[in-house]
Amino acid sequence: MTSILWLRRDLRRRDHPALLAARDAAGDGDLVVAFVVDPELWSGGGAARRAWLAANLRALDESLDGTLTLLHGDPRRVVPALAQRVGASSVHVTRETTPAGRRRDEVVAKRLGESDIDWVETGTPYAVGPGLVVNGSGDPYKVFTPFSKAWRAHGWPDPAPTPRSLPIRNARNDAEATAALDAALSAPDLPELPPAGEEAALRRWRAWRERALENYADDRNRPDLDGTSRLSPYLKLGVVHPRTLLADLHDERGEGAHTYETELAWREFYADVLHHQPRTAWEDLRPEMSRMRYSEPEDAVEAWRTGQTGYPVVDAGMRQLLAEGWMHNRVRMITASFLTKDLHVWWPLGARHFLEHLVDGDIASNNHGWQWVAGTGTDASPYFRVFNPVTQGLRFDPEGDYVRRWVPELAHLPGKAAHEPWEHADGYAHGYPERIVDHAVERDEALARLEATKR
């Protein structure tokens, strides 16, 4: 008997319930572990995202002794064709929870069923699958804090065991798929990416946990420090499962461990919101905010994208994004607020830019995080809360180290002076641009537009 494990957001061996289910279904037969390079999704992301995915697929293939089957094309056609070709009796997956993924899987499952091939979903990319945490009335939570309490009370299973051996056979790689990976990894001007693969993820986790977990509650908001785990790129592709991390924190009782659990809960909350409200992938969760008047200032948006707004911490964040395919979470909030509240641009434009470049770009966390800042989503930071990019920089990058790292035009300004070049005679001596807007004026404009929605 032959079974197929079709990988999507689960590129690992450890703590992988769908892998175990596929192995058990194969019995004494063959197990085919496959990944499909979908041209539609492949072309939808930037070079860094493609390279990060390619690097982790290569690392997984190595951990599977070169047996990973790489295919190319529309999965709705490719997966049923593979099942027919290898004589599979079942196709196993980790359950998809995004709207597009669920629509795709419905088609694949239907086509497999027409050939009497079983479609088996086991587990999700989350510690608690979206839809499982509900209130006393059986309804989903709309606010994070009660969700997080119920999420902790619900609990999650222990990590799945790691199989010692797997009866995997390669079912013939598609030349287009291997060529796509080769091209992604050799693309010009790629940012410096983290080490790929499950072992690298776990090494990063262990080293960071020992060094920085204790101070995480305070240091996580400091972009000038290496205070965050930076595991989000691995979580995005399922190179490590959140359940694995939570199990490792089980005996930790400090504030840092509790705060880290809470950050994982935010990720699961946003996935739950998207599960129940799939329209919110690209629409405001709060429909009353649809009356907001937005602007489309092309030159200012381009300045934002390229880190040329004249606000140092904003520009540092946008340049880090382009250079690393990653941005510190506090700075994500600052840059998002600047686009939505200072430039008055509707959040999906910024969300798309982030998803193009972020190697950890996840539609649920990214897009609902943008709505939180924009004041149109869950528990929203109210629309009238407008991040001041100067005070945010002074508070969370107090010595200006983060700014100087990414904005070399300000490297000559010592300490906190890097946040306010306009206050110093030589602030613009090295070509840093002047501010494209006056924050105080634009804050008043943002509040005026909010009041207009209430009329």
Side-chain angles (χ1 to χ4, degrees):
M1 188 174 294
T2 298
S3 66
I4 295 172
L5 173 65
W6 174 25
L7 299 174
R8 291 86 69 84
R9 293 194 289 162
D10 41 12
L11 307 186
R12 64 188 185 279
R13 284 181 58 117
R14 292 177 178 83
D15 196 0
H16 200 319
L19 172 60
L20 297 178
R23 179 204 61 182
D24 293 345
D28 294 330
D30 292 327
L31 169 61
V32 174
V33 179
F35 183 89
V36 181
V37 177
D38 183 345
E40 183 177 348
L41 296 180
W42 191 255
S43 61
R49 286 172 66 87
R50 288 192 292 271
W52 177 240
L53 174 55
N56 281 283
L57 285 169
R58 288 283 164 81
L60 177 63
D61 186 40
E62 183 177 346
S63 76
L64 298 177
D65 300 320
T67 59
L68 178 64
T69 297
L70 291 169
L71 303 173
H72 185 277
D74 185 341
R76 292 168 292 188
R77 173 185 58 80
V78 170
V79 173
L82 172 66
Q84 291 280 6
R85 176 160 63 84
V86 302
S89 59
S90 58
V91 172
H92 296 256
V93 296
T94 298
R95 178 168 64 89
E96 184 55 85
T97 61
T98 65
R102 288 157 67 184
R103 290 193 298 268
R104 175 203 60 208
D105 285 359
E106 287 173 3
V107 174
V108 175
K110 181 176 183 295
R111 291 180 178 176
L112 290 170
E114 291 169 353
S115 300
D116 294 323
I117 300 170
D118 292 337
W119 171 262
V120 184
E121 298 180 335
T122 308
T124 73
Y126 301 96
V128 183
L132 296 180
V133 177
V134 294
N135 63 22
S137 302
D139 297 321
Y141 285 94
K142 298 178 181 179
V143 177
F144 172 71
T145 298
F147 171 89
S148 67
K149 292 178 181 177
W151 175 80
R152 281 189 167 94
H154 181 284
W156 39 83
D158 292 333
T162 302
R164 293 185 178 179
S165 61
L166 293 166
I168 303 174
R169 73 175 175 93
N170 181 277
R172 196 170 69 248
N173 288 345
D174 190 314
E176 286 186 87
T178 55
L181 267 59
D182 288 342
L185 292 169
S186 60
D189 302 321
L190 284 175
E192 183 176 350
L193 298 173
E198 186 174 14
E199 295 302 326
L202 293 173
R203 282 196 302 272
R204 168 68 190 181
W205 166 245
R206 288 190 289 263
W208 178 83
R209 186 191 64 203
E210 293 301 318
R211 174 181 56 79
L213 177 63
E214 182 179 0
N215 298 317
Y216 177 70
D218 295 323
D219 290 351
R220 67 191 178 93
N221 277 312
R222 292 280 300 274
D224 57 327
L225 304 177
D226 186 18
T228 65
S229 71
R230 295 194 69 155
L231 286 178
S232 55
Y234 300 104
L235 287 166
K236 157 63 182 172
L237 296 181
V239 177
V240 65
H241 196 282
R243 184 175 47 232
T244 303
L245 308 181
L246 289 163
D248 218 17
L249 293 174
H250 184 267
D251 295 326
E252 298 279 355
R253 292 292 180 264
E255 186 180 6
H258 182 82
T259 303
Y260 195 86
E261 281 189 2
T262 300
E263 292 303 302
L264 290 175
W266 271 107
R267 181 175 180 269
E268 308 231 338
F269 176 56
Y270 284 148
D272 191 73
V273 172
L274 185 61
H275 171 79
H276 290 289
Q277 299 270 9
R279 68 172 183 81
T280 62
W282 294 107
E283 296 179 17
D284 295 330
L285 178 67
R286 296 171 57 197
E288 67 271 19
M289 297 304 293
S290 65
R291 296 190 292 271
M292 179 67 67
R293 179 172 60 87
Y294 294 105
S295 301
E296 298 180 10
E298 293 183 9
D299 290 346
V301 169
E302 184 60 20
W304 175 81
R305 287 191 178 111
T306 56
Q308 298 289 334
T309 68
Y311 285 91
V313 73
V314 173
D315 294 339
M318 298 308 293
R319 295 184 192 189
Q320 182 184 26
L321 173 63
L322 297 177
E324 292 191 342
W326 188 85
M327 189 195 300
H328 188 279
N329 190 61
R330 168 57 56 172
V331 188
R332 294 187 199 201
M333 291 189 282
I334 297 170
T335 57
S337 181
F338 188 85
L339 183 72
T340 57
K341 305 292 179 62
D342 286 73
L343 302 185
H344 317 295
V345 172
W346 193 34
W347 64 266
L349 185 148
R352 285 190 174 90
H353 182 73
F354 274 26
L355 285 178
E356 180 182 356
H357 294 283
L358 285 170
V359 295
D360 66 358
D362 171 86
I363 193 167
S365 293
N366 182 70
N367 291 24
H368 284 103
W370 269 89
Q371 290 200 55
W372 186 90
V373 173
T376 68
T378 62
D379 295 80
S381 166
Y383 191 87
F384 55 77
R385 180 185 179 188
V386 181
F387 283 67
N388 183 316
V390 179
T391 57
Q392 288 279 310
L394 290 169
R395 179 179 177 186
F396 296 111
D397 180 29
E399 297 302 319
D401 293 333
Y402 177 73
V403 163
R404 281 187 294 274
R405 185 185 314 157
W406 295 108
V407 186
E409 306 98 299
L410 300 178
H412 64 292
L413 295 178
K416 64 182 182 180
H419 289 288
E420 298 177 283
W422 48 87
E423 295 289 349
H424 304 275
D426 61 346
Y428 295 103
H430 297 284
Y432 186 64
E434 295 190 11
R435 291 167 286 182
I436 60 173
V437 294
D438 183 320
H439 172 71
V441 172
E442 301 308 332
R443 180 182 184 279
D444 289 343
E445 172 65 15
L447 297 180
R449 293 189 185 203
L450 175 63
E451 285 302 312
T453 68
K454 302 175 182 179
R455 296 172 193 156

